[in-house]
Amino acid sequence: MFRIGQSTDIHRLEKGRKLILGGVEIEHEQGLLGHSDADCLLHAISEAILGALALGDLGSHFPDNDPRYKDADSLMLLHEVVQMMKARQYAIGNIDALILIERPKMAPHIKKMRGNIAGACECSMDQVSVKATRGEKLGFIGHEEGAAAQAIVLLEKKEG
């Protein structure tokens, strides 16, 4: 049995915050604003997994009014979601994700992001695709007001 989930996550860019995407801290004058580390890529992947399992959204499991999740490492949140997935006897088939950010360039960081995601999801890197695109100076992405990520996951029921 297969299940598919998809999600989009958006965060505002702000000075004085770290830019963390895919569990990688990236040098930049702005970072993503959120209750946790605001890693929109990992949030989109986590929520896509939850969606595939019909378990609601990320906020219902890790509410932004809960002090336990203040500045939380999103790799840890993804790991917890993966444990929920495994408890239901599913495994990652594949993940296809897209980062939307005007700058900085993501290409130098994508391999490390894929490795972080594969590690947290207990799958191989060849099951994880991460791509990036710019806003071409259009909209909130292009005007560098925020960043977004989209993810689609395929889960496979494990035998036994």
Side-chain angles (χ1 to χ4, degrees), residues 7-19:
S7 185
T8 301
D9 194 61
I10 301 168
H11 285 275
R12 178 188 313 271
L13 281 163
E14 295 256 328
K15 289 190 186 310
R17 290 277 300 185
K18 291 179 181 179
L19 179 59

Side-chain angles (χ1 to χ4, degrees), residues 108-159:
H109 310 288
I110 286 180
K111 184 175 182 180
K112 185 161 188 194
M113 292 176 189
R114 290 177 61 222
N116 288 343
I117 295 162
C121 290
E122 302 179 22
C123 67
S124 67
M125 274 181 60
D126 69 354
Q127 292 171 275
V128 179
S129 172
V130 176
K131 306 171 298 293
T133 192
R134 300 175 45 227
E136 301 295 335
K137 306 289 183 198
L138 298 171
F140 76 92
I141 302 286
H143 294 147
E144 299 184 51
E145 297 169 5
Q150 299 174 334
I152 297 174
V153 301
L154 175 68
L155 303 184
E156 298 178 79
K157 188 78 167 180
K158 292 191 266 182
E159 295 294 322

